[in-house]
Amino acid sequence: MADRSELESTPSETLTPVVAAWDLPPDPYWENLEARRQRKSLAIAILLFVLTLISTLAVGAQFASSYASGQTADMDQLFSNYAAMLAHPQLLLAGVPFAFTLIGILLAHELGHFFACRYYGISASYPYFIPAPTLIGTLGAFIRIRSPIYNRKALFDVGLAGPVIGFLFAVPALAIAIFYSKVVPFSEVNAATVFGHPLAMRLLVAALRPGVRPGDLLLHPVGRAAWVGLFATALNLLPAGQLDGGHILYSVAGKFHKKITICVALLLIPLGLIFWSGWIMWSVLLLVIGFRHPPLLNRWEKVDRARLVWAAVAVLMFILCFMPMPVMIRGN
């Protein structure tokens, strides 16, 4: 028989049973609040998705028209044709290959983040697309993370999931488009808009169209959408701020996050002066609002060796997708 002396001398408050959070009855107020938030998030996401679909269809129709005539897309002509395409919606059908490919890649990227958040119980919005009358018809997409992230492992997986899934969608689309694209020698010599050639594209052209220079390949609209997907992957994998690459950096080497972010921002300035002025805008954004990172609830737990390998994979993806000069627009 057990000795009861310890039990009798124990203060009564220490014997009070602990109730776990999941044993408590649900709170209708907070459940209704979260449900309303999700409905509002879904409504906004659908509206932005429809607007982005229209803007990318308009751009895709212009890419399709230029491709059919054996020419590269003209940015000035693209903007002048917006009104005509919106006045005659049937013209937008020609933009389906570009628009559906681009939206599919961007959606895959954001859903990678979204489901990684769901896996770790992190509250996140639905993917929001950003419609804009730009050369590609959008400024990309994003999700809002509403709750703190617990540890480095969760932050790493959330940051990495988007670029990996987007990359896995973009590369096959680019490969198929390269195989069926037209060879137009010196097509970029007199073109008003010249697109850069990421290393991934150069390798695919060498493998699928041996003997053809990337500059002589008039890329099919599906390939141009995949090109956008690779460029978006490179931007997101910049190891800085609260970009996906910044999340990965903070997970692996949090104490160097701020210093590396500032270094990356400063390195973008000469790239902007020499190659593409857009890098200066990214530099300013990182220096003004992007060099800080929200703290983790548990910042002491380190990532495991497998995730360090995946960090190296992220670096490799960045190298394959990065272009010093993504776009060059020549004056008249």
Side-chain angles (χ1 to χ4, degrees), residues 9-235:
S9 62
T10 304
S12 59
E13 60 267 24
T14 62
L15 298 177
T16 303
V18 177
V19 180
W22 49 84
D23 292 331
L24 294 173
D27 188 330
Y29 174 78
W30 292 111
E31 286 190 347
N32 292 336
L33 182 64
E34 181 64 20
R36 289 197 300 271
R37 178 187 291 175
Q38 290 295 334
R39 286 195 297 269
K40 182 180 179 181
S41 174
L42 180 60
I44 295 173
I46 292 174
L47 175 61
L48 292 175
F49 177 84
V50 172
L51 294 175
T52 304
L53 180 61
I54 294 172
S55 63
T56 53
L57 282 171
V59 170
Q62 179 59 45
F63 276 122
S65 175
S66 300
Y67 181 77
S69 61
Q71 300 175 349
T72 58
D74 188 334
M75 190 171 183
D76 294 333
Q77 187 179 6
L78 173 68
F79 294 143
S80 65
N81 285 349
Y82 257 110
M85 292 179 185
L86 294 177
H88 304 281
Q90 67 274 15
L91 298 176
L92 297 176
L93 293 177
V96 167
F98 172 85
F100 280 31
T101 304
L102 176 56
I103 287 180
I105 294 170
L106 295 179
L107 184 60
H109 180 116
E110 297 307 324
L111 287 179
H113 293 312
F114 180 79
F115 286 114
C117 287
R118 284 294 180 90
Y119 178 81
Y120 285 105
I122 301 168
S123 176
S125 70
Y126 293 103
Y128 294 140
F129 285 83
I130 310 174
T134 63
L135 185 60
I136 59 175
T138 179
L139 291 176
F142 68 97
I143 64 169
R144 284 187 59 196
I145 296 179
R146 301 192 184 102
S147 62
I149 298 178
Y150 183 71
N151 57 18
R152 294 176 185 268
K153 181 176 71 172
L155 178 65
F156 184 93
D157 292 353
V158 169
L160 183 70
V164 168
I165 300 300
F167 184 81
L168 292 177
F169 272 71
V171 169
L174 181 60
I176 294 171
I178 287 173
F179 190 78
Y180 288 102
S181 293
K182 299 177 182 178
V183 177
V184 182
F186 308 107
S187 59
E188 293 183 347
V189 173
N190 298 316
T193 305
V194 179
F195 294 91
H197 307 126
L199 180 58
M201 178 179 171
R202 294 178 182 273
L203 294 175
L204 288 173
V205 171
L208 300 173
R209 305 295 292 270
V212 177
R213 294 174 55 252
D216 293 339
L217 197 67
L218 185 61
L219 205 56
H220 188 277
V222 168
R224 187 56 61 202
W227 178 95
V228 175
L230 293 183
F231 180 47
T233 299
L235 288 176

Side-chain angles (χ1 to χ4, degrees), residues 174-313:
L174 181 60
I176 294 171
I178 287 173
F179 190 78
Y180 288 102
S181 293
K182 299 177 182 178
V183 177
V184 182
F186 308 107
S187 59
E188 293 183 347
V189 173
N190 298 316
T193 305
V194 179
F195 294 91
H197 307 126
L199 180 58
M201 178 179 171
R202 294 178 182 273
L203 294 175
L204 288 173
V205 171
L208 300 173
R209 305 295 292 270
V212 177
R213 294 174 55 252
D216 293 339
L217 197 67
L218 185 61
L219 205 56
H220 188 277
V222 168
R224 187 56 61 202
W227 178 95
V228 175
L230 293 183
F231 180 47
T233 299
L235 288 176
N236 279 285
L237 283 177
L238 284 170
Q242 297 187 46
L243 299 172
D244 296 338
H247 293 327
I248 295 170
L249 172 63
Y250 193 86
S251 303
V252 175
K255 63 180 179 180
F256 299 111
H257 177 270
K258 182 177 179 179
K259 294 180 180 178
I260 293 178
T261 295
I262 294 174
C263 289
V264 169
L266 294 177
L267 286 173
L268 291 179
I269 295 176
L271 283 179
L273 296 174
I274 299 172
F275 296 105
W276 181 54
S277 59
W279 293 126
I280 296 178
M281 178 194 71
W282 280 92
S283 175
V284 172
L285 288 175
L286 291 174
L287 289 173
V288 172
I289 63 174
F291 64 87
R292 294 180 179 177
H293 194 284
L296 302 173
L297 296 179
N298 176 11
R299 59 187 177 86
W300 298 276
E301 181 182 354
K302 296 183 178 180
V303 297
D304 52 30
R305 185 172 299 177
R307 285 179 173 79
L308 294 178
V309 173
W310 275 106
V313 172

